[in-house]
Amino acid sequence: MLLEDWTAEVVGRMHKAQITGKQLAEKAGITNAYLSTVLNGHKGTEGTKQRIITALEELEAAATAGRGGTP
């Protein structure tokens, strides 16, 4: 998967689940500024990518549970 592909998917999923960059960065254990840099394709490692995706999945699950399980 190209860098742009995964970052575009992350941003789309954030929008759909109404997750802010600040929330995702905090959950991933990185700064909001670094998250932005990674999502804009300027930096990042495979490890950072995995931390972001894992954090996103956890936040999506929490958002879905908060809506009574409705995606």
CSV table of all heavy atoms in Angstrom, one decimal:
chain,number,residue,atom,x,y,z
A,1,MET,N,0.8,-1.2,0.0
A,1,MET,CA,0.0,0.0,0.0
A,1,MET,C,0.9,1.2,0.0
A,1,MET,O,1.8,1.4,0.8
A,1,MET,CB,-0.9,0.0,1.2
A,1,MET,CG,-1.8,1.2,1.4
A,1,MET,SD,-2.9,1.1,2.8
A,1,MET,CE,-4.3,0.2,2.0
A,2,LEU,N,0.6,2.2,-0.9
A,2,LEU,CA,1.4,3.4,-0.9
A,2,LEU,C,1.1,4.3,0.3
A,2,LEU,O,0.0,4.2,0.9
A,2,LEU,CB,1.0,4.2,-2.2
A,2,LEU,CG,1.4,3.5,-3.5
A,2,LEU,CD1,0.8,4.3,-4.7
A,2,LEU,CD2,2.9,3.4,-3.7
A,3,LEU,N,2.1,5.1,0.6
A,3,LEU,CA,1.9,6.0,1.8
A,3,LEU,C,0.6,6.8,1.6
A,3,LEU,O,-0.2,6.9,2.5
A,3,LEU,CB,3.1,6.9,1.9
A,3,LEU,CG,3.1,7.9,3.0
A,3,LEU,CD1,3.1,7.2,4.4
A,3,LEU,CD2,4.2,8.9,2.9
A,4,GLU,N,0.4,7.4,0.5
A,4,GLU,CA,-0.8,8.2,0.2
A,4,GLU,C,-2.1,7.4,0.4
A,4,GLU,O,-3.1,7.9,0.9
A,4,GLU,CB,-0.7,8.8,-1.2
A,4,GLU,CG,0.4,9.8,-1.4
A,4,GLU,CD,1.7,9.1,-1.7
A,4,GLU,OE1,1.7,7.9,-2.1
A,4,GLU,OE2,2.8,9.7,-1.6
A,5,ASP,N,-2.0,6.1,0.1
A,5,ASP,CA,-3.2,5.3,0.2
A,5,ASP,C,-3.6,5.1,1.6
A,5,ASP,O,-4.8,5.3,2.0
A,5,ASP,CB,-3.0,3.9,-0.4
A,5,ASP,CG,-2.9,4.0,-1.9
A,5,ASP,OD1,-3.3,5.0,-2.6
A,5,ASP,OD2,-2.4,3.0,-2.5
A,6,TRP,N,-2.7,4.8,2.5
A,6,TRP,CA,-3.1,4.5,3.9
A,6,TRP,C,-3.4,5.8,4.6
A,6,TRP,O,-4.3,5.8,5.4
A,6,TRP,CB,-2.0,3.7,4.6
A,6,TRP,CG,-0.8,4.4,5.1
A,6,TRP,CD1,0.4,4.6,4.5
A,6,TRP,CD2,-0.7,5.1,6.4
A,6,TRP,NE1,1.2,5.3,5.3
A,6,TRP,CE2,0.6,5.6,6.5
A,6,TRP,CE3,-1.5,5.3,7.5
A,6,TRP,CZ2,1.1,6.3,7.6
A,6,TRP,CZ3,-1.1,6.0,8.6
A,6,TRP,CH2,0.2,6.5,8.7
A,7,THR,N,-2.7,6.9,4.3
A,7,THR,CA,-3.0,8.2,5.0
A,7,THR,C,-4.4,8.7,4.5
A,7,THR,O,-5.1,9.2,5.4
A,7,THR,CB,-1.9,9.2,4.7
A,7,THR,OG1,-1.8,9.5,3.3
A,7,THR,CG2,-0.6,8.8,5.3
A,8,ALA,N,-4.7,8.6,3.3
A,8,ALA,CA,-6.0,9.0,2.8
A,8,ALA,C,-7.1,8.2,3.5
A,8,ALA,O,-8.2,8.7,3.9
A,8,ALA,CB,-6.1,8.9,1.3
A,9,GLU,N,-6.9,6.9,3.6
A,9,GLU,CA,-7.9,6.1,4.3
A,9,GLU,C,-8.0,6.5,5.8
A,9,GLU,O,-9.1,6.5,6.3
A,9,GLU,CB,-7.4,4.6,4.2
A,9,GLU,CG,-8.4,3.7,4.9
A,9,GLU,CD,-8.0,2.2,4.9
A,9,GLU,OE1,-7.1,1.8,4.1
A,9,GLU,OE2,-8.6,1.5,5.7
A,10,VAL,N,-6.9,6.8,6.5
A,10,VAL,CA,-7.0,7.2,7.9
A,10,VAL,C,-7.8,8.5,8.0
A,10,VAL,O,-8.7,8.6,8.8
A,10,VAL,CB,-5.6,7.4,8.5
A,10,VAL,CG1,-5.6,8.1,9.8
A,10,VAL,CG2,-4.9,6.0,8.7
A,11,VAL,N,-7.5,9.4,7.1
A,11,VAL,CA,-8.2,10.7,7.2
A,11,VAL,C,-9.7,10.5,6.9
A,11,VAL,O,-10.5,11.1,7.6
A,11,VAL,CB,-7.6,11.7,6.2
A,11,VAL,CG1,-8.4,13.0,6.1
A,11,VAL,CG2,-6.2,12.1,6.7
A,12,GLY,N,-10.0,9.7,6.0
A,12,GLY,CA,-11.4,9.4,5.7
A,12,GLY,C,-12.2,8.8,6.8
A,12,GLY,O,-13.3,9.1,7.2
A,13,ARG,N,-11.5,7.8,7.4
A,13,ARG,CA,-12.1,7.1,8.6
A,13,ARG,C,-12.2,8.0,9.8
A,13,ARG,O,-13.2,7.9,10.5
A,13,ARG,CB,-11.2,5.9,8.9
A,13,ARG,CG,-11.4,4.8,7.9
A,13,ARG,CD,-10.4,3.7,8.1
A,13,ARG,NE,-10.5,3.0,9.3
A,13,ARG,CZ,-9.6,2.0,9.7
A,13,ARG,NH1,-8.6,1.7,8.9
A,13,ARG,NH2,-9.7,1.5,10.9
A,14,MET,N,-11.2,8.9,10.0
A,14,MET,CA,-11.3,9.9,11.1
A,14,MET,C,-12.6,10.8,10.8
A,14,MET,O,-13.3,11.0,11.8
A,14,MET,CB,-10.1,10.8,11.1
A,14,MET,CG,-8.8,10.2,11.6
A,14,MET,SD,-7.4,11.2,11.3
A,14,MET,CE,-7.8,12.7,12.3
A,15,HIS,N,-12.8,11.2,9.6
A,15,HIS,CA,-13.9,12.1,9.3
A,15,HIS,C,-15.2,11.4,9.5
A,15,HIS,O,-16.1,11.9,10.2
A,15,HIS,CB,-13.8,12.6,7.8
A,15,HIS,CG,-14.9,13.4,7.4
A,15,HIS,ND1,-15.1,14.7,7.8
A,15,HIS,CD2,-16.0,13.2,6.6
A,15,HIS,CE1,-16.2,15.3,7.3
A,15,HIS,NE2,-16.7,14.3,6.6
A,16,LYS,N,-15.3,10.1,9.1
A,16,LYS,CA,-16.5,9.4,9.2
A,16,LYS,C,-16.9,9.1,10.7
A,16,LYS,O,-18.1,9.2,11.0
A,16,LYS,CB,-16.4,8.0,8.5
A,16,LYS,CG,-17.6,7.2,8.5
A,16,LYS,CD,-17.4,5.9,7.6
A,16,LYS,CE,-18.7,5.1,7.7
A,16,LYS,NZ,-18.6,3.9,7.0
A,17,ALA,N,-15.9,8.8,11.5
A,17,ALA,CA,-16.1,8.6,12.9
A,17,ALA,C,-16.0,9.8,13.8
A,17,ALA,O,-16.2,9.7,15.0
A,17,ALA,CB,-15.1,7.5,13.4
A,18,GLN,N,-15.8,11.0,13.2
A,18,GLN,CA,-15.8,12.3,13.9
A,18,GLN,C,-14.6,12.2,14.9
A,18,GLN,O,-14.8,12.7,16.1
A,18,GLN,CB,-17.1,12.6,14.5
A,18,GLN,CG,-18.2,12.8,13.4
A,18,GLN,CD,-19.5,13.2,14.0
A,18,GLN,OE1,-19.8,13.0,15.2
A,18,GLN,NE2,-20.4,13.7,13.2
A,19,ILE,N,-13.5,11.7,14.5
A,19,ILE,CA,-12.3,11.7,15.4
A,19,ILE,C,-11.4,12.8,15.0
A,19,ILE,O,-11.1,13.0,13.8
A,19,ILE,CB,-11.6,10.3,15.2
A,19,ILE,CG1,-12.5,9.2,15.7
A,19,ILE,CG2,-10.2,10.3,16.0
A,19,ILE,CD1,-12.0,7.8,15.3
A,20,THR,N,-10.9,13.6,15.9
A,20,THR,CA,-10.1,14.7,15.6
A,20,THR,C,-8.6,14.2,15.6
A,20,THR,O,-8.2,13.2,16.1
A,20,THR,CB,-10.2,15.8,16.7
A,20,THR,OG1,-9.7,15.3,18.0
A,20,THR,CG2,-11.6,16.3,16.9
A,21,GLY,N,-7.8,15.0,15.0
A,21,GLY,CA,-6.4,14.8,14.9
A,21,GLY,C,-5.8,14.7,16.3
A,21,GLY,O,-4.9,13.9,16.7
A,22,LYS,N,-6.2,15.6,17.2
A,22,LYS,CA,-5.8,15.7,18.6
A,22,LYS,C,-6.1,14.4,19.3
A,22,LYS,O,-5.2,13.8,20.0
A,22,LYS,CB,-6.4,16.9,19.3
A,22,LYS,CG,-5.9,17.0,20.7
A,22,LYS,CD,-6.5,18.3,21.3
A,22,LYS,CE,-6.1,18.4,22.8
A,22,LYS,NZ,-6.6,19.6,23.4
A,23,GLN,N,-7.3,13.9,19.1
A,23,GLN,CA,-7.7,12.6,19.8
A,23,GLN,C,-6.8,11.4,19.3
A,23,GLN,O,-6.4,10.6,20.0
A,23,GLN,CB,-9.2,12.3,19.5
A,23,GLN,CG,-10.1,13.2,20.1
A,23,GLN,CD,-11.6,13.0,19.6
A,23,GLN,OE1,-11.8,12.9,18.4
A,23,GLN,NE2,-12.5,13.0,20.5
A,24,LEU,N,-6.6,11.4,17.9
A,24,LEU,CA,-5.9,10.3,17.4
A,24,LEU,C,-4.4,10.4,17.8
A,24,LEU,O,-3.8,9.3,18.1
A,24,LEU,CB,-6.0,10.3,15.8
A,24,LEU,CG,-5.3,9.2,15.1
A,24,LEU,CD1,-5.7,7.8,15.6
A,24,LEU,CD2,-5.5,9.3,13.6
A,25,ALA,N,-3.9,11.5,17.8
A,25,ALA,CA,-2.5,11.7,18.2
A,25,ALA,C,-2.3,11.3,19.6
A,25,ALA,O,-1.3,10.5,19.9
A,25,ALA,CB,-2.0,13.2,18.0
A,26,GLU,N,-3.2,11.7,20.5
A,26,GLU,CA,-3.1,11.4,21.9
A,26,GLU,C,-3.1,9.9,22.1
A,26,GLU,O,-2.3,9.3,22.8
A,26,GLU,CB,-4.2,12.0,22.7
A,26,GLU,CG,-4.1,11.8,24.2
A,26,GLU,CD,-5.1,12.6,25.0
A,26,GLU,OE1,-5.3,13.8,24.7
A,26,GLU,OE2,-5.8,12.0,25.8
A,27,LYS,N,-4.1,9.2,21.4
A,27,LYS,CA,-4.2,7.8,21.5
A,27,LYS,C,-3.0,7.0,21.0
A,27,LYS,O,-2.6,6.0,21.5
A,27,LYS,CB,-5.5,7.3,20.8
A,27,LYS,CG,-5.9,5.9,21.0
A,27,LYS,CD,-6.5,5.7,22.4
A,27,LYS,CE,-7.1,4.4,22.5
A,27,LYS,NZ,-7.6,4.1,23.9
A,28,ALA,N,-2.4,7.6,19.9
A,28,ALA,CA,-1.2,6.9,19.3
A,28,ALA,C,0.1,7.2,20.1
A,28,ALA,O,1.1,6.7,19.8
A,28,ALA,CB,-1.1,7.4,17.9
A,29,GLY,N,0.0,8.2,21.0
A,29,GLY,CA,1.2,8.5,21.8
A,29,GLY,C,2.2,9.4,21.0
A,29,GLY,O,3.4,9.3,21.3
A,30,ILE,N,1.6,10.2,20.1
A,30,ILE,CA,2.5,11.2,19.4
A,30,ILE,C,1.8,12.5,19.5
A,30,ILE,O,0.7,12.7,19.9
A,30,ILE,CB,2.6,10.7,17.9
A,30,ILE,CG1,1.3,10.6,17.2
A,30,ILE,CG2,3.4,9.4,17.8
A,30,ILE,CD1,1.3,10.3,15.7
A,31,THR,N,2.6,13.6,19.0
A,31,THR,CA,2.0,14.9,19.1
A,31,THR,C,1.1,15.1,17.9
A,31,THR,O,1.2,14.4,16.8
A,31,THR,CB,3.1,16.0,19.0
A,31,THR,OG1,3.8,15.9,17.8
A,31,THR,CG2,4.1,15.8,20.2
A,32,ASN,N,0.2,16.0,18.0
A,32,ASN,CA,-0.7,16.4,16.9
A,32,ASN,C,0.1,16.9,15.7
A,32,ASN,O,-0.3,16.6,14.6
A,32,ASN,CB,-1.7,17.4,17.4
A,32,ASN,CG,-2.9,17.6,16.4
A,32,ASN,OD1,-3.2,16.7,15.7
A,32,ASN,ND2,-3.5,18.7,16.5
A,33,ALA,N,1.1,17.7,16.0
A,33,ALA,CA,2.0,18.2,14.9
A,33,ALA,C,2.6,17.1,14.1
A,33,ALA,O,2.7,17.1,12.9
A,33,ALA,CB,3.0,19.2,15.4
A,34,TYR,N,3.1,16.0,14.8
A,34,TYR,CA,3.8,14.9,14.2
A,34,TYR,C,2.8,14.1,13.4
A,34,TYR,O,3.1,13.6,12.3
A,34,TYR,CB,4.5,14.0,15.2
A,34,TYR,CG,5.4,13.0,14.5
A,34,TYR,CD1,6.4,13.3,13.7
A,34,TYR,CD2,5.1,11.6,14.7
A,34,TYR,CE1,7.2,12.3,13.1
A,34,TYR,CE2,5.8,10.6,14.1
A,34,TYR,CZ,6.9,11.0,13.3
A,34,TYR,OH,7.6,10.0,12.6
A,35,LEU,N,1.6,13.9,14.0
A,35,LEU,CA,0.5,13.2,13.2
A,35,LEU,C,0.2,13.9,11.9
A,35,LEU,O,0.2,13.2,10.9
A,35,LEU,CB,-0.8,13.1,14.1
A,35,LEU,CG,-2.0,12.5,13.4
A,35,LEU,CD1,-1.8,11.0,13.0
A,35,LEU,CD2,-3.2,12.7,14.2
A,36,SER,N,0.1,15.2,11.9
A,36,SER,CA,-0.1,16.0,10.7
A,36,SER,C,1.0,15.8,9.7
A,36,SER,O,0.7,15.6,8.5
A,36,SER,CB,-0.3,17.4,11.1
A,36,SER,OG,-0.5,18.2,9.9
A,37,THR,N,2.2,15.8,10.2
A,37,THR,CA,3.4,15.6,9.3
A,37,THR,C,3.3,14.2,8.7
A,37,THR,O,3.6,14.1,7.5
A,37,THR,CB,4.7,15.8,10.1
A,37,THR,OG1,4.7,17.1,10.7
A,37,THR,CG2,5.9,15.6,9.3
A,38,VAL,N,3.0,13.2,9.5
A,38,VAL,CA,2.9,11.8,8.9
A,38,VAL,C,1.8,11.7,7.9
A,38,VAL,O,2.0,11.2,6.8
A,38,VAL,CB,2.8,10.8,10.1
A,38,VAL,CG1,2.5,9.4,9.5
A,38,VAL,CG2,4.0,10.8,11.0
A,39,LEU,N,0.6,12.2,8.3
A,39,LEU,CA,-0.5,12.1,7.4
A,39,LEU,C,-0.3,12.9,6.1
A,39,LEU,O,-1.0,12.6,5.1
A,39,LEU,CB,-1.8,12.5,8.1
A,39,LEU,CG,-2.2,11.6,9.2
A,39,LEU,CD1,-3.5,12.1,9.8
A,39,LEU,CD2,-2.4,10.1,8.7
A,40,ASN,N,0.5,13.9,6.1
A,40,ASN,CA,0.8,14.7,4.9
A,40,ASN,C,2.0,14.1,4.1
A,40,ASN,O,2.4,14.6,3.1
A,40,ASN,CB,1.1,16.1,5.3
A,40,ASN,CG,-0.1,16.9,5.6
A,40,ASN,OD1,-1.1,16.9,4.8
A,40,ASN,ND2,-0.1,17.6,6.7
A,41,GLY,N,2.5,12.9,4.6
A,41,GLY,CA,3.5,12.2,3.8
A,41,GLY,C,4.9,12.7,3.9
A,41,GLY,O,5.7,12.3,3.1
A,42,HIS,N,5.2,13.5,5.0
A,42,HIS,CA,6.5,14.1,5.1
A,42,HIS,C,7.5,13.3,6.0
A,42,HIS,O,8.7,13.4,5.9
A,42,HIS,CB,6.4,15.5,5.6
A,42,HIS,CG,5.7,16.4,4.7
A,42,HIS,ND1,6.1,16.7,3.4
A,42,HIS,CD2,4.5,17.0,4.8
A,42,HIS,CE1,5.2,17.5,2.8
A,42,HIS,NE2,4.2,17.7,3.6
A,43,LYS,N,6.9,12.5,6.9
A,43,LYS,CA,7.7,11.7,7.8
A,43,LYS,C,6.9,10.4,8.2
A,43,LYS,O,5.8,10.3,7.8
A,43,LYS,CB,8.0,12.5,9.1
A,43,LYS,CG,9.1,13.5,8.9
A,43,LYS,CD,9.5,14.1,10.3
A,43,LYS,CE,10.6,15.1,10.1
A,43,LYS,NZ,11.1,15.6,11.3
A,44,GLY,N,7.6,9.6,9.0
A,44,GLY,CA,6.9,8.4,9.5
A,44,GLY,C,7.6,7.2,9.2
A,44,GLY,O,8.3,7.1,8.2
A,45,THR,N,7.4,6.2,10.0
A,45,THR,CA,8.0,4.9,9.8
A,45,THR,C,6.9,3.8,9.8
A,45,THR,O,5.7,4.2,10.1
A,45,THR,CB,8.9,4.5,11.0
A,45,THR,OG1,8.2,4.4,12.2
A,45,THR,CG2,10.1,5.5,11.2
A,46,GLU,N,7.2,2.6,9.5
A,46,GLU,CA,6.2,1.6,9.6
A,46,GLU,C,5.6,1.4,11.0
A,46,GLU,O,4.4,1.2,11.1
A,46,GLU,CB,6.8,0.2,9.1
A,46,GLU,CG,5.8,-0.9,9.0
A,46,GLU,CD,4.7,-0.7,7.9
A,46,GLU,OE1,5.0,0.0,6.9
A,46,GLU,OE2,3.6,-1.2,8.1
A,47,GLY,N,6.5,1.6,12.0
A,47,GLY,CA,6.0,1.5,13.4
A,47,GLY,C,5.0,2.6,13.7
A,47,GLY,O,4.0,2.4,14.4
A,48,THR,N,5.3,3.8,13.2
A,48,THR,CA,4.4,5.0,13.4
A,48,THR,C,3.0,4.7,12.7
A,48,THR,O,2.0,4.9,13.3
A,48,THR,CB,5.0,6.3,12.9
A,48,THR,OG1,6.2,6.5,13.5
A,48,THR,CG2,4.1,7.5,13.1
A,49,LYS,N,3.1,4.2,11.5
A,49,LYS,CA,1.9,3.8,10.8
A,49,LYS,C,1.0,2.9,11.6
A,49,LYS,O,-0.2,3.1,11.7
A,49,LYS,CB,2.3,3.2,9.4
A,49,LYS,CG,1.1,2.6,8.7
A,49,LYS,CD,1.6,2.0,7.4
A,49,LYS,CE,0.5,1.2,6.7
A,49,LYS,NZ,0.9,0.5,5.5
A,50,GLN,N,1.7,1.8,12.1
A,50,GLN,CA,0.9,0.8,12.9
A,50,GLN,C,0.3,1.4,14.2
A,50,GLN,O,-0.8,1.1,14.5
A,50,GLN,CB,1.8,-0.4,13.2
A,50,GLN,CG,2.2,-1.2,12.0
A,50,GLN,CD,0.9,-1.6,11.2
A,50,GLN,OE1,-0.1,-2.1,11.8
A,50,GLN,NE2,1.0,-1.5,9.9
A,51,ARG,N,1.1,2.3,14.8
A,51,ARG,CA,0.5,3.0,16.0
A,51,ARG,C,-0.7,3.8,15.7
A,51,ARG,O,-1.7,3.8,16.4
A,51,ARG,CB,1.6,3.9,16.7
A,51,ARG,CG,2.7,3.1,17.4
A,51,ARG,CD,3.8,3.9,17.8
A,51,ARG,NE,3.4,4.9,18.8
A,51,ARG,CZ,4.3,5.7,19.4
A,51,ARG,NH1,5.6,5.7,19.0
A,51,ARG,NH2,3.9,6.5,20.3
A,52,ILE,N,-0.6,4.5,14.6
A,52,ILE,CA,-1.8,5.4,14.2
A,52,ILE,C,-3.0,4.5,13.8
A,52,ILE,O,-4.1,4.8,14.2
A,52,ILE,CB,-1.4,6.3,13.0
A,52,ILE,CG1,-0.3,7.3,13.5
A,52,ILE,CG2,-2.6,6.9,12.3
A,52,ILE,CD1,0.3,8.1,12.3
A,53,ILE,N,-2.8,3.4,13.1
A,53,ILE,CA,-3.9,2.6,12.6
A,53,ILE,C,-4.5,1.9,13.9
A,53,ILE,O,-5.7,1.8,14.0
A,53,ILE,CB,-3.4,1.6,11.6
A,53,ILE,CG1,-3.1,2.3,10.3
A,53,ILE,CG2,-4.5,0.5,11.3
A,53,ILE,CD1,-2.5,1.5,9.2
A,54,THR,N,-3.7,1.4,14.8
A,54,THR,CA,-4.2,0.7,16.0
A,54,THR,C,-5.0,1.7,16.8
A,54,THR,O,-6.1,1.4,17.3
A,54,THR,CB,-3.0,0.2,16.8
A,54,THR,OG1,-2.4,-0.8,16.0
A,54,THR,CG2,-3.5,-0.5,18.1
A,55,ALA,N,-4.5,2.9,17.0
A,55,ALA,CA,-5.2,4.0,17.7
A,55,ALA,C,-6.5,4.3,17.1
A,55,ALA,O,-7.5,4.5,17.7
A,55,ALA,CB,-4.3,5.2,17.9
A,56,LEU,N,-6.5,4.4,15.7
A,56,LEU,CA,-7.7,4.7,15.0
A,56,LEU,C,-8.8,3.7,15.2
A,56,LEU,O,-9.9,3.9,15.4
A,56,LEU,CB,-7.4,4.9,13.5
A,56,LEU,CG,-8.6,5.2,12.6
A,56,LEU,CD1,-9.3,6.5,13.0
A,56,LEU,CD2,-8.1,5.2,11.1
A,57,GLU,N,-8.4,2.4,15.1
A,57,GLU,CA,-9.3,1.3,15.3
A,57,GLU,C,-9.9,1.3,16.7
A,57,GLU,O,-11.1,1.1,16.8
A,57,GLU,CB,-8.6,0.0,15.0
A,57,GLU,CG,-8.3,-0.2,13.6
A,57,GLU,CD,-7.3,-1.4,13.3
A,57,GLU,OE1,-6.8,-2.0,14.3
A,57,GLU,OE2,-7.2,-1.8,12.1
A,58,GLU,N,-9.1,1.6,17.7
A,58,GLU,CA,-9.6,1.7,19.1
A,58,GLU,C,-10.6,2.9,19.2
A,58,GLU,O,-11.7,2.7,19.8
A,58,GLU,CB,-8.5,1.9,20.1
A,58,GLU,CG,-7.6,0.6,20.2
A,58,GLU,CD,-6.4,0.8,21.0
A,58,GLU,OE1,-6.2,1.9,21.6
A,58,GLU,OE2,-5.6,-0.1,21.1
A,59,LEU,N,-10.3,4.0,18.6
A,59,LEU,CA,-11.2,5.1,18.7
A,59,LEU,C,-12.5,4.9,17.9
A,59,LEU,O,-13.6,5.3,18.4
A,59,LEU,CB,-10.5,6.4,18.2
A,59,LEU,CG,-9.4,7.0,19.1
A,59,LEU,CD1,-8.6,8.0,18.4
A,59,LEU,CD2,-10.0,7.5,20.4
A,60,GLU,N,-12.4,4.2,16.8
A,60,GLU,CA,-13.6,3.9,16.0
A,60,GLU,C,-14.5,3.0,16.8
A,60,GLU,O,-15.7,3.1,16.8
A,60,GLU,CB,-13.2,3.2,14.7
A,60,GLU,CG,-12.6,4.2,13.6
A,60,GLU,CD,-12.1,3.4,12.4
A,60,GLU,OE1,-11.6,2.3,12.5
A,60,GLU,OE2,-12.3,4.0,11.3
A,61,ALA,N,-13.9,2.0,17.5
A,61,ALA,CA,-14.7,1.0,18.2
A,61,ALA,C,-15.4,1.8,19.4
A,61,ALA,O,-16.6,1.5,19.6
A,61,ALA,CB,-13.8,-0.1,18.8
A,62,ALA,N,-14.7,2.7,20.0
A,62,ALA,CA,-15.3,3.5,21.1
A,62,ALA,C,-16.4,4.3,20.6
A,62,ALA,O,-17.5,4.5,21.2
A,62,ALA,CB,-14.2,4.3,21.8
A,63,ALA,N,-16.2,4.9,19.4
A,63,ALA,CA,-17.2,5.8,18.8
A,63,ALA,C,-18.5,5.0,18.4
A,63,ALA,O,-19.6,5.4,18.7
A,63,ALA,CB,-16.7,6.5,17.6
A,64,THR,N,-18.3,3.8,17.9
A,64,THR,CA,-19.4,2.9,17.5
A,64,THR,C,-20.1,2.5,18.7
A,64,THR,O,-21.4,2.5,18.8
A,64,THR,CB,-18.9,1.7,16.7
A,64,THR,OG1,-18.2,2.2,15.5
A,64,THR,CG2,-20.0,0.8,16.3
A,65,ALA,N,-19.4,2.1,19.8
A,65,ALA,CA,-20.1,1.7,21.0
A,65,ALA,C,-20.9,2.8,21.6
A,65,ALA,O,-22.0,2.6,22.2
A,65,ALA,CB,-19.0,1.2,22.0
A,66,GLY,N,-20.4,4.0,21.5
A,66,GLY,CA,-21.1,5.2,22.0
A,66,GLY,C,-22.3,5.5,21.3
A,66,GLY,O,-23.2,6.2,21.8
A,67,ARG,N,-22.5,5.0,20.1
A,67,ARG,CA,-23.7,5.2,19.3
A,67,ARG,C,-24.6,4.0,19.3
A,67,ARG,O,-25.4,3.8,18.5
A,67,ARG,CB,-23.3,5.5,17.8
A,67,ARG,CG,-22.6,6.9,17.6
A,67,ARG,CD,-22.5,7.2,16.2
A,67,ARG,NE,-21.8,6.3,15.4
A,67,ARG,CZ,-20.5,6.4,15.1
A,67,ARG,NH1,-19.8,7.4,15.5
A,67,ARG,NH2,-19.9,5.5,14.4
A,68,GLY,N,-24.4,3.1,20.3
A,68,GLY,CA,-25.2,2.0,20.4
A,68,GLY,C,-24.9,0.9,19.4
A,68,GLY,O,-25.7,0.1,19.1
A,69,GLY,N,-23.6,0.9,18.9
A,69,GLY,CA,-23.2,-0.1,18.0
A,69,GLY,C,-23.5,0.1,16.5
A,69,GLY,O,-23.3,-0.7,15.7
A,70,THR,N,-24.1,1.3,16.2
A,70,THR,CA,-24.4,1.7,14.9
A,70,THR,C,-23.2,2.3,14.2
A,70,THR,O,-22.7,3.3,14.7
A,70,THR,CB,-25.5,2.7,14.8
A,70,THR,OG1,-26.6,2.2,15.5
A,70,THR,CG2,-26.0,3.0,13.4
A,71,PRO,N,-22.7,1.7,13.1
A,71,PRO,CA,-21.5,2.2,12.4
A,71,PRO,C,-21.8,3.6,11.8
A,71,PRO,O,-22.8,4.0,11.5
A,71,PRO,CB,-21.2,1.2,11.3
A,71,PRO,CG,-22.2,0.1,11.4
A,71,PRO,CD,-23.2,0.5,12.5
